[in-house]
Amino acid sequence: ENTVLETENGNSIKIKNIIPGTILKYEEVVTAVVEIDAKNIKNVKKMKYNETTFTGKNVLIAEDLGVKHSDNIDMIDHVNVDKLYHLITDKGTFYIDGLTFFDYDGCLIQTLDIFEDKKKS
């Protein structure tokens, strides 16, 4: 809830305060904010990647050589949170501290693609 994103006009806003229609730094338009009841979700992690700290369960970061899944990111600690927040944007991604995060739909698509590939082999 306290993850900060930058808007197109240079302001910083916490993810929990973003509303649909917000335009982020690189002109991504937020089309929806996903608010997840996390009270019963196990293994929510506080993670650190390239000096950026964030919390989540299934997070995907786009890299030059592919996709980095939260299972392969250094965990700082397990955390208990009431809610998790994610975004859906018109571009399928958004940026935090220079890292390219897949939006909620992008995470689902990537996960389903991986599942389908495993199912075929």
Side-chain angles (χ1 to χ4, degrees), residues 32-62:
V33 177
V34 180
E35 188 175 304
I36 301 164
D37 180 354
K39 293 176 191 153
N40 296 315
I41 297 177
K42 296 180 180 179
N43 298 320
V44 175
K45 303 185 296 185
K46 184 175 184 180
M47 297 166 261
K48 186 172 186 176
Y49 186 71
N50 286 2
E51 304 305 315
T52 299
T53 302
F54 50 92
T55 300
K57 171 78 174 158
N58 293 309
V59 178
L60 297 178
I61 298 173

Side-chain angles (χ1 to χ4, degrees), residues 7-71:
T7 62
E8 69 170 339
N9 60 7
N11 291 333
S12 295
I13 187 169
K14 290 182 180 181
I15 196 168
K16 70 178 180 179
N17 296 327
I18 291 177
I19 59 171
T22 300
I23 302 174
L24 301 175
K25 182 177 182 177
Y26 297 103
E27 299 181 4
E28 312 95 326
V29 178
V30 176
T31 57
V33 177
V34 180
E35 188 175 304
I36 301 164
D37 180 354
K39 293 176 191 153
N40 296 315
I41 297 177
K42 296 180 180 179
N43 298 320
V44 175
K45 303 185 296 185
K46 184 175 184 180
M47 297 166 261
K48 186 172 186 176
Y49 186 71
N50 286 2
E51 304 305 315
T52 299
T53 302
F54 50 92
T55 300
K57 171 78 174 158
N58 293 309
V59 178
L60 297 178
I61 298 173
E63 295 186 311
D64 291 339
L65 299 176
V67 177
K68 187 84 162 178
H69 188 279
S70 52
D71 287 346

Side-chain angles (χ1 to χ4, degrees), residues 67-100:
V67 177
K68 187 84 162 178
H69 188 279
S70 52
D71 287 346
N72 300 314
I73 296 173
D74 291 336
M75 181 181 74
I76 297 172
D77 199 4
H78 284 288
V79 294
N80 293 317
V81 293
D82 290 337
K83 293 182 183 178
L84 291 170
Y85 293 84
H86 214 308
L87 301 176
I88 299 175
T89 71
D90 65 331
K91 295 187 178 180
T93 57
F94 57 91
Y95 297 84
I96 301 172
D97 293 336
L99 294 177
T100 307

